[in-house]
Amino acid sequence: MAHTHSEPNSNRTRLLAAFLVTVVFMVAEIAGGLISGSLALLADAGHMLTDAAALLMALLAVQFASRRPNARHTFGLLRLTTLAAFVNAIALLVITVLIVWEAVRRFMHPEPVAGGFMLIIAIAGLLANILSFWLLHRGNEEKNLNVRAAALHVLGDLLGSVGAIAAALIIMFTGWTPIDPILSILVSLLVLRSAWALMKESIHELLEGAPASVDVEKLKRALTRGIPEVRNVHHLHLWQVGEKPVMTLHVQVIPPYDHDALLHRIHNYLHENYQIEHATVQMEYQSCEDGDCELSWGKGGHDRAHAHHHH
């Protein structure tokens, strides 16, 4: 067990370090953006705010994931991480709108920008991002949606800082200030892209969507082919909680010589071929008549939703 406990801890330390680095430099970029009058720096700071949020969510997620499930939350609090990702995505969208709005306003009425000061802050921001990305990337062996999301944010932010550096250089050498709002819009598009992906992924999980890597119809066919005793698979539900796939299914089987051994083979098959560790299998010997099948659902809206499963 020692092995599984060391990973969240190393992840936690890395996330905490990256979070602190990001917060310190975010404050620096906000100050720098206000003093130098640069919107690109403020856009980058906005991006850093979302990084900080992503890192905080990931930290909380690691914290929650390490807590034991209890009677009221039988999955532990893993879903909180998904909810956090969703809230984070919405915050990103709001920030994007604000920055684009301000950029358009500045385009109409250009404002002076202190290029030299802007350059110094932008370079510092870039170094901070490289540091956080390096910290996170090392903690990224296991597929944790939150650590991955945080690393992606920071990577997007690297591009944002590069944009701010480019804008600062152009302003210093040509004095053309509209480059600042132009680049701030480009940075916002980066923010928008990561927000959209995060939103899609978190909504899919919150709506009990099946993991994208598994084709449910294919899984049904594979199970009937792979295990000769299995005649038919129905009432299959597959969803995920904090990255872990969970599944319930009914299988109609030829009455086996050894019930438990067959059950074990089905579990093994799902684990080896689909990485599903947690499946609840209900075995049936008779073919499932429509009427009987529906009993398990109670008589509610579910009946119609599931009617199409029957062959």
Side-chain angles (χ1 to χ4, degrees), residues 145-156:
L145 173 68
N146 287 276
V147 178
R148 208 169 63 230
L152 270 176
H153 274 226
V154 173
L155 190 61

Side-chain angles (χ1 to χ4, degrees), residues 253-293:
V253 296
I254 298 162
Y257 167 67
D258 180 350
H259 178 278
D260 288 354
L262 177 58
L263 191 57
H264 191 67
R265 271 166 59 209
I266 293 173
H267 277 294
N268 267 356
Y269 186 88
L270 291 172
H271 189 210
E272 281 168 22
N273 295 288
Y274 294 97
Q275 287 70 55
I276 295 169
E277 290 172 29
H278 195 107
T280 304
V281 181
Q282 177 173 325
M283 281 163 65
E284 295 159 354
Y285 300 149
Q286 269 70 45
S287 79
C288 188
E289 296 307 317
D290 268 341
D292 297 346
C293 265

Side-chain angles (χ1 to χ4, degrees), residues 14 19 30 51 57-58 71 89 91 111 121 133 137 181 191 201 246 280 308:
R14 291 202 179 105
F19 174 68
I30 292 172
D51 291 349
M57 305 294 183
E111 292 177 17
I121 299 283
F133 185 71
H137 210 66
V191 179
E201 213 169 329
V246 182
T280 304
H308 66 268

Side-chain angles (χ1 to χ4, degrees), residues 220 232-237 248-252 282 284 286-288 293 309-311:
K220 286 183 181 177
N232 167 305
V233 178
H234 49 274
H235 282 332
L236 187 148
H237 292 276
T248 63
L249 66 164
H250 290 201
V251 287
Q252 184 208 336
Q282 177 173 325
E284 295 159 354
Q286 269 70 45
S287 79
C288 188
C293 265
H309 275 319
H310 304 301
H311 312 294

Side-chain angles (χ1 to χ4, degrees), residues 65-261:
S66 61
R67 284 175 55 175
R68 304 302 314 147
N70 62 24
R72 278 196 60 220
H73 301 127
T74 56
F75 286 110
L77 295 174
L78 286 173
R79 237 330 136 63
L80 268 169
T81 62
T82 315
L83 203 53
F86 175 69
V87 172
N88 194 9
I90 291 176
L92 281 164
L93 294 173
V94 171
I95 284 176
T96 309
V97 170
L98 291 174
I99 285 169
V100 171
W101 178 267
E102 176 64 13
V104 171
R105 201 187 64 76
R106 289 210 177 182
F107 224 86
M108 315 281 198
H109 317 281
E111 292 177 17
V113 179
F117 187 65
M118 177 180 170
L119 182 67
I120 294 166
I121 299 283
I123 289 173
L126 179 67
L127 295 175
N129 286 320
I130 291 171
L131 178 60
S132 339
F133 185 71
W134 177 77
L135 283 166
L136 288 173
H137 210 66
R138 284 177 54 224
N140 220 354
E141 290 90 30
E142 68 265 42
K143 265 184 52 178
N144 179 326
L145 173 68
N146 287 276
V147 178
R148 208 169 63 230
L152 270 176
H153 274 226
V154 173
L155 190 61
D157 209 11
L158 277 172
L159 298 171
S161 297
V162 170
I165 290 174
L169 290 171
I170 290 171
I171 288 169
M172 283 169 74
F173 288 110
T174 67
W176 190 58
T177 49
I179 189 65
D180 183 54
I182 291 173
L183 277 165
S184 70
I185 288 182
L186 287 177
V187 175
S188 318
L189 290 179
L190 291 170
V191 179
L192 197 61
R193 212 178 120 240
S194 55
W196 191 247
L198 203 58
M199 196 144 187
K200 258 172 48 184
E201 213 169 329
S202 56
I203 286 179
H204 183 73
E205 198 177 311
L206 291 172
L207 295 180
E208 308 295 3
S213 54
V214 181
D215 177 338
V216 172
E217 290 305 316
K218 242 188 195 154
L219 186 148
K220 286 183 181 177
R221 290 196 298 272
L223 200 58
T224 43
R225 269 197 224 110
I227 299 178
E229 291 91 329
V230 174
R231 285 178 168 178
N232 167 305
V233 178
H234 49 274
H235 282 332
L236 187 148
H237 292 276
L238 175 64
W239 68 101
Q240 58 196 112
V241 177
E243 295 272 287
K244 294 190 198 312
V246 182
M247 181 161 145
T248 63
L249 66 164
H250 290 201
V251 287
Q252 184 208 336
V253 296
I254 298 162
Y257 167 67
D258 180 350
H259 178 278
D260 288 354

